[in-house]
Amino acid sequence: QQQVKQSPQSLIVQKGGISIINCAYENTAFDYFPWYQQFPGKGPALLIAIRPDVSEKKEGRFTISFNKSAKQFSLHIMDSQPGDSATYFCAASFDSNYQLIWGAGTKLIIKP
Amino acid sequence: DTAVSQTPKYLVTQMGNDKSIKCEQNLGHDTMYWYKQDSKKFLKIMFSYNNKELIINETVPNRFSPKSPDKAHLNLHINSLELGDSAVYFCASGGGADPGYTFGSGTRLTVV
């Protein structure tokens, strides 16, 4: 019940395309769902986060879609750019200040 | 002004040695964490400290021990290093006004 399952493991998208990464969770008590972006040689950095009271959150080219009934959430990157190439992690927790339960990560490559 | 800084960035050492990794945060966060990231990029939480108290201690070998002299520092000591300890270790902090964690840049530990 504590798991967060992330897919795909790796993803290759053409420049200008839409990148979509999916996550599924089981514990309905989770209340906070962030996405982190990690570049090679760096630590993960918070990209965008959502709470279950909304179905979508958009920040620039990055959008989280949240489906509470399906217990799924996804990250959409519009107009994907080579600079978006990184590893993306979804996570979940009971609160923004509690321990995060992490997905396994998705390595995204944007081809120019 | 690095928010979460950890040293050293690279550490190469022989099996059986004892080593330490230092971490400092200047964000005023209440909680600090140590994560291990393996070659498959999976993030595994090792420890967290909240106001100098250990509040999470995952099933890591007791060769690993966190030491927190104050709220801004959480060091990681590793005794009798083994080949399987080779990984990237990340320090992170959280619990401030902004949600989520702030990670350091990581320490790549190689045991030979």
Side-chain angles (χ1 to χ4, degrees):
Chain A
Q1 270 222 325
Q2 291 286 77
Q3 280 188 322
V4 175
K5 295 182 179 179
Q6 182 172 347
S7 62
Q9 189 175 6
S10 61
L11 180 63
I12 299 174
V13 175
Q14 288 292 130
K15 178 183 174 182
I18 302 173
S19 303
I20 302 174
I21 304 171
N22 301 299
C23 282
Y25 63 97
E26 295 181 358
N27 194 329
T28 56
F30 285 143
D31 191 48
Y32 174 70
F33 302 88
W35 284 90
Y36 281 75
Q37 180 187 55
Q38 183 181 23
F39 293 109
K42 300 292 185 183
L46 180 62
L47 183 63
I48 187 172
I50 198 168
R51 292 196 182 270
D53 53 347
V54 296
S55 60
E56 186 175 281
K57 183 173 181 180
K58 185 175 181 179
E59 290 184 3
R61 296 184 294 108
F62 299 90
T63 300
I64 298 179
S65 296
F66 187 83
N67 186 330
K68 190 173 181 178
S69 60
K71 292 187 285 186
Q72 294 176 347
F73 60 109
S74 58
L75 177 70
H76 296 238
I77 306 174
M78 311 299 288
D79 187 27
S80 299
Q81 298 297 311
D84 297 330
S85 297
T87 299
Y88 291 81
F89 293 92
C90 65
S93 78
F94 301 109
D95 183 86
S96 60
N97 292 323
Y98 274 72
Q99 178 191 358
L100 289 172
I101 309 300
W102 294 87
T106 296
K107 184 173 183 179
L108 173 65
I109 297 173
I110 307 299
K111 293 187 107 176
Chain B
D1 285 347
T2 305
V4 179
S5 60
Q6 51 182 111
T7 55
K9 189 168 179 62
Y10 300 98
L11 184 54
V12 181
T13 187
Q14 290 188 327
M15 277 195 306
N17 283 352
D18 303 337
K19 291 293 178 185
S20 296
I21 306 172
K22 294 184 177 181
C23 179
E24 176 182 5
Q25 56 101 359
N26 63 5
L27 297 166
H29 286 165
D30 290 328
T31 309
M32 295 183 71
Y33 304 86
W34 275 106
Y35 278 85
K36 179 180 180 180
Q37 187 172 48
D38 60 25
S39 58
K40 294 184 178 180
K41 299 294 186 182
F42 189 74
L43 284 165
K44 176 185 175 183
I45 188 168
M46 301 179 72
F47 302 104
S48 74
Y49 256 76
N50 185 321
N51 292 326
K52 298 180 70 174
E53 288 187 64
L54 181 66
I55 58 173
I56 301 173
N57 188 343
E58 296 295 320
T59 54
V60 298
N62 57 13
R63 298 181 294 104
F64 292 80
S65 58
K67 298 263 190 317
S68 180
D70 55 58
K71 185 176 144 178
H73 296 83
L74 183 64
N75 303 324
L76 182 64
H77 296 269
I78 316 169
N79 295 324
S80 303
L81 277 155
E82 301 177 356
L83 292 176
D85 298 332
S86 296
V88 180
Y89 292 83
F90 285 101
C91 176
S93 70
D98 295 325
Y101 300 172
T102 301
F103 281 80
S105 294
T107 296
R108 180 173 292 278
L109 172 65
T110 303
V111 182
V112 297

